[in-house]
């Protein structure tokens, strides 16, 4: 009997694991870790090829400028492949379009260390950012034939340093203090080192400027945030219900875990309010909600116009979502952050303590204190008006940098 009982227990062990999902998850995680170690899978998450890692202490001397100024500039912009709705890419492409409107020729150089089919991302850019007329290509082994080249993130700054020795005018459009994206370690240090590469920095917002000065000892050109009021506008003066939340589970600075717990508590307090989650796919929301997936700007404006409020989480620079919601007439809750608040000075933002209860209470305030039509109209009008001023300042900075001296490009011009 003892042997039979033991055999019965061994036979049922797999089913015991199935009845204990947490144990099953731990076993799966252990297996993933072992596979990751055996096959060096963590290297797949590293965003650079090893040959593109640059070092500020081993940078070659900048080449001397050899040409006179020209009215029409040939400019390259390096970026990683975008995804639909990417705020960072949207802001960057606005700056590219600003240069195009001034008559300059622009090329977007895509950097993807995994070598994915570039046509997929070219088609995506044409679909989601149709205003761009820029040429789009893969970053070549050697970047030549441009008056200037602009990096748009810490990874692309390394690529520009490694492959752009022939470019005398190298700039860096800095939208956030990117070392803060990582724990203290190698990735933090690699991101931080890019600010010592000697590029001309153009910083979006006062927070980024202050951190570049304090942490890296560089003084950038500062340009302000804008808000796309041509797309995001108040259209619904009638009934509204619910809240909207932009989910980025794999980007911790966007506060997904805190938001998920806060929304669960909010739903307990206000089950009558529809919660709409949009953005990345999520599978761990254990409260009633509607997942809308990735939405176009026009679809987002329609969503915000249906909602009483929205949640825009950010632990570094302020999310563009905050003012876009306000422009559409939805009150917005943002987690209290000394970093995000530097550039988010709109008095209509509701700052919630960055805990689940704090955020849930702030959302309750937003939906329990409905605005009058006059108050909602004033709130929508309070946002920054467009991106033209920012585009002009970025364009002026690039033009001034190039006028200081340019590389002869016509003799080197070719397909990147």
């Amino acid at each position: 009997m003892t042997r039979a009982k033991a055999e019965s227990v061994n036979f049922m062990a797999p089913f015991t694991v199935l009845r204990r999902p947490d144990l099953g998850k731990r076993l799966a995680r252990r297996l993933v870790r072992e596979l990751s170690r055996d096959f060096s899978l963590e290297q797949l998450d590293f965003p650079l090829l090893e040959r593109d890692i640059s070092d500020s202490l081993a940078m070659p001397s900048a080449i001397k400028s050899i040409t006179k100024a020209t009215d029409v500039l040939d400019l390259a912009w390096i970026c990683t492949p975008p995804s639909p709705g990417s705020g960072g890419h949207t802001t960057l492409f606005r700056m590219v379009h600003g240069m195009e409107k001034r008559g300059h020729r622009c090329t977007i150089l895509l950097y993807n260390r995994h070598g994915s089919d570039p046509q997929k991302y070219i088609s995506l850019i044409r679909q989601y950012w149709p205003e761009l007329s820029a040429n789009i290509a893969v970053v070549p082994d050697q970047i030549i034939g441009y008056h200037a080249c602009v990096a748009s993130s810490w990874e692309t700054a390394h690529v520009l340093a490694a492959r752009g020795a022939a470019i005398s005018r190298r700039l860096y459009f800095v939208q956030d203090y990117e070392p803060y994206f990582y724990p203290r370690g190698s990735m933090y240090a690699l991101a931080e080192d890019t600010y010592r590469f000697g590029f001309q920095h153009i910083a979006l917002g006062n927070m980024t400027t202050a951190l570049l000065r304090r942490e890296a000892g560089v003084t950038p050109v500062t340009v302000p945030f804008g808000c796309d009021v041509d797309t995001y506008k108040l259209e619904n003066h009638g009934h509204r219900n619910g809240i909207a939340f932009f989910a980025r589970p794999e980007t911790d600075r966007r506060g997904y875990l805190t938001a998920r717990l806060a929304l669960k508590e909010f739903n307990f307090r206000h089950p009558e309010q529809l919660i709409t989650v949009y953005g990345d796919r999520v599978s761990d929301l254990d409260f009633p909600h509607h997942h809308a997936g990735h939405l176009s700007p026009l679809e987002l404006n329609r969503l915000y116009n249906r909602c009483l409020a929205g949640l825009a989480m950010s632990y570094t620079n302020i999310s563009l979502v905050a003012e876009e919601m306000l422009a559409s007439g939805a009150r917005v809750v943002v987690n209290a952050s000394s970093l995000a608040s530097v550039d988010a000075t709109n008095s209509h933002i509701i700052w919630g303590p960055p805990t689940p209860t704090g955020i849930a209470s702030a959302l309750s305030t937003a939906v329990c204190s409905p605005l009058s039509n006059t108050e909602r109209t004033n709130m929508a009008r309070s946002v920054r008006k467009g991106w033209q001023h920012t585009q002009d300042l970025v364009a002026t900075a690039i033009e001034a940098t190039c006028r200081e001296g340019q590389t002869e490009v016509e003799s080197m011009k070719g397909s990147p």
Side-chain angles (χ1 to χ4, degrees), residues 230-379:
D230 291 330
T231 300
Y232 300 96
K233 61 185 71 174
L234 176 59
E235 296 176 333
N236 176 21
H237 295 273
H239 175 73
R240 290 171 177 254
N241 175 268
I243 64 171
F245 169 60
F246 177 39
R248 292 182 62 182
E250 296 184 2
T251 307
D252 192 45
R253 69 183 183 278
R254 296 305 184 195
Y256 174 75
L257 173 59
T258 302
R260 177 173 65 82
L261 298 174
L263 291 172
K264 183 176 182 179
E265 172 64 20
F266 173 80
N267 175 253
F268 176 77
R269 299 184 193 183
H270 301 280
E272 78 284 357
Q273 297 292 337
L274 174 65
I275 298 174
T276 300
V277 178
Y278 66 95
D280 295 343
R281 182 175 63 87
V282 292
S283 59
D284 58 350
L285 299 182
D286 54 351
F287 52 83
H289 67 282
H290 168 65
H291 190 270
H294 288 281
L295 301 176
S296 70
L298 290 176
E299 291 170 331
L300 284 174
N301 182 60
R302 287 194 289 269
L303 170 63
Y304 298 159
N305 268 275
R306 293 195 300 268
C307 291
L308 280 168
L311 177 58
M313 301 287 289
S314 180
Y315 286 91
T316 55
N317 220 344
I318 188 65
S319 169
L320 302 181
V321 168
E323 281 205 318
E324 291 168 354
M325 288 180 171
L326 292 178
S328 301
R331 305 187 74 180
V332 65
V333 171
V334 180
N335 56 293
S337 165
S338 60
L339 296 177
S341 61
V342 172
D343 290 290
T345 58
N346 191 302
S347 62
H348 294 280
I349 293 175
I350 301 173
W351 295 95
T355 68
T357 301
I359 297 299
S361 296
L363 287 169
S364 294
T365 298
V367 301
C368 290
S369 304
L371 301 176
S372 68
N373 283 338
T374 299
E375 290 172 328
R376 195 176 301 280
T377 298
N378 290 336
M379 181 180 72

Side-chain angles (χ1 to χ4, degrees), residues 195-215:
Y195 305 130
R196 307 185 191 102
F197 286 175
F199 301 161
Q200 171 64 61
H201 300 89
I202 302 174
L204 180 64
N206 296 311
M207 184 217 80
T208 305
T209 294
L211 289 174
L212 287 175
R213 286 174 175 163
R214 187 182 78 194
E215 303 292 337

